[in-house]
Amino acid sequence: MTQDASPRLHLVTGNAVEPLVEDGPPAGHRPAEPENAVFADLLRRAEALDARAAAETSSRPLHPAGLVAVGAALTVVLALLGRQQWELPTRAGGSVTDVPQSLGTFLVLATALCVWAAGRLTRPAAILRSATAVQTWWALLGGAAVVSLAATLSLASFAGVEGPGDVVARCAVIAVPAVLAGVVARHDGRAARVRLALGTGLVTVPLCGLGWALLSSSARSTAGLADVLAVTGIAAAAPLALTVAFVAADRRRRTPN
């Protein structure tokens, strides 16, 4: 045993020195408490509350009535923009020709806005339990957007010529995506079916209204904004409402008591 200059006792074995007592704080010394402990605790609590509020807000989809209100607002805004003095496409041989670049750019931007609003407000990932179902709904929404864009161009091309036909086909552009959305959410409950069906309507109905607005913007047309909205209600909103009611119906077999 030996003792070096320090007040600690060591054991010498050969050329190695091993401490017998671990280093520790001097007797009577109390460890210092963390500075600003109260402030740090308040900061942690505030961060926890912010994270909880953000999680609740991001996971809560918009109420169906809110989806309807947003769809109506989009329809009115696009109808107002569509009634401006646009250079319209023409028809030749029963098909659309000569789409002006300015109009084409406007329609693409309007379609992108509708798709963004549908995805942002519907939140399929928060409603559907299957990732495959979420991807299917997005693919369905993209297909509905493309078809609705083509239908809008078709309506605009009838300006100054005979009235647009294929009324049943135009109603199908609204109804078919909503029905398929209900099929996608068939295992996730009635509320999910209704929300996802209305989500497709955020794309199809405003674009349909835009088509009628472009048709009424022709110099030969005497229709006003009220006429455009009325026709949109009959040709787009009504088929969507009937389709959502069909999707919301509970058709499971009930056993008698």
Coordinates of all heavy atoms in Angstrom, one line a residue, residues 175 179 236-248:
A175 N -71.0 11.5 -61.3 CA -71.5 10.4 -60.4 C -70.6 9.2 -60.3 O -70.4 8.7 -59.2 CB -72.9 9.9 -61.0
V179 N -69.2 7.2 -56.8 CA -69.6 5.9 -56.5 C -68.3 5.0 -56.3 O -68.3 4.2 -55.3 CB -70.4 5.3 -57.7 CG1 -70.6 3.8 -57.5 CG2 -71.8 5.9 -57.8
A236 N -74.7 19.1 -62.2 CA -73.6 18.6 -61.5 C -73.9 18.4 -60.0 O -73.6 17.3 -59.5 CB -72.4 19.6 -61.6
A237 N -74.4 19.4 -59.3 CA -74.6 19.3 -57.9 C -75.7 18.2 -57.6 O -75.6 17.5 -56.6 CB -75.0 20.6 -57.3
A238 N -76.8 18.2 -58.3 CA -77.8 17.3 -58.1 C -77.4 15.8 -58.3 O -77.7 15.0 -57.4 CB -79.1 17.6 -59.0
P239 N -76.7 15.5 -59.4 CA -76.2 14.1 -59.5 C -75.2 13.7 -58.4 O -75.3 12.6 -57.9 CB -75.5 14.1 -60.9 CG -76.1 15.2 -61.6 CD -76.5 16.2 -60.6
L240 N -74.4 14.7 -58.0 CA -73.5 14.4 -56.8 C -74.3 14.1 -55.6 O -73.9 13.2 -54.8 CB -72.5 15.5 -56.6 CG -71.5 15.4 -55.5 CD1 -70.6 14.2 -55.8 CD2 -70.8 16.6 -55.2
A241 N -75.3 14.9 -55.3 CA -76.1 14.7 -54.1 C -76.8 13.3 -54.1 O -76.8 12.6 -53.1 CB -77.1 15.8 -53.9
L242 N -77.3 12.9 -55.2 CA -78.0 11.6 -55.3 C -77.0 10.5 -55.2 O -77.2 9.5 -54.5 CB -78.7 11.5 -56.7 CG -79.9 12.4 -56.9 CD1 -80.4 12.3 -58.3 CD2 -81.0 12.1 -55.9
T243 N -75.8 10.7 -55.7 CA -74.7 9.7 -55.6 C -74.2 9.5 -54.2 O -74.0 8.4 -53.7 CB -73.6 10.0 -56.5 OG1 -74.1 10.2 -57.9 CG2 -72.5 8.9 -56.5
V244 N -74.1 10.6 -53.5 CA -73.6 10.6 -52.1 C -74.7 9.9 -51.2 O -74.3 9.1 -50.3 CB -73.3 12.0 -51.6 CG1 -73.1 12.0 -50.1 CG2 -72.1 12.6 -52.3
A245 N -75.9 10.2 -51.5 CA -77.0 9.5 -50.8 C -77.0 8.0 -51.0 O -77.2 7.2 -50.1 CB -78.4 10.1 -51.2
F246 N -76.7 7.6 -52.3 CA -76.6 6.2 -52.6 C -75.4 5.6 -51.9 O -75.5 4.5 -51.3 CB -76.5 6.0 -54.1 CG -76.1 4.6 -54.5 CD1 -77.1 3.6 -54.6 CD2 -74.8 4.3 -54.9 CE1 -76.8 2.4 -55.0 CE2 -74.5 3.0 -55.3 CZ -75.5 2.0 -55.3
V247 N -74.3 6.3 -51.9 CA -73.1 5.8 -51.2 C -73.2 5.7 -49.7 O -72.7 4.7 -49.1 CB -71.9 6.7 -51.6 CG1 -70.7 6.3 -50.7 CG2 -71.5 6.5 -53.0
A248 N -74.0 6.6 -49.1 CA -74.1 6.6 -47.7 C -75.1 5.6 -47.2 O -75.1 5.3 -46.0 CB -74.6 8.0 -47.3

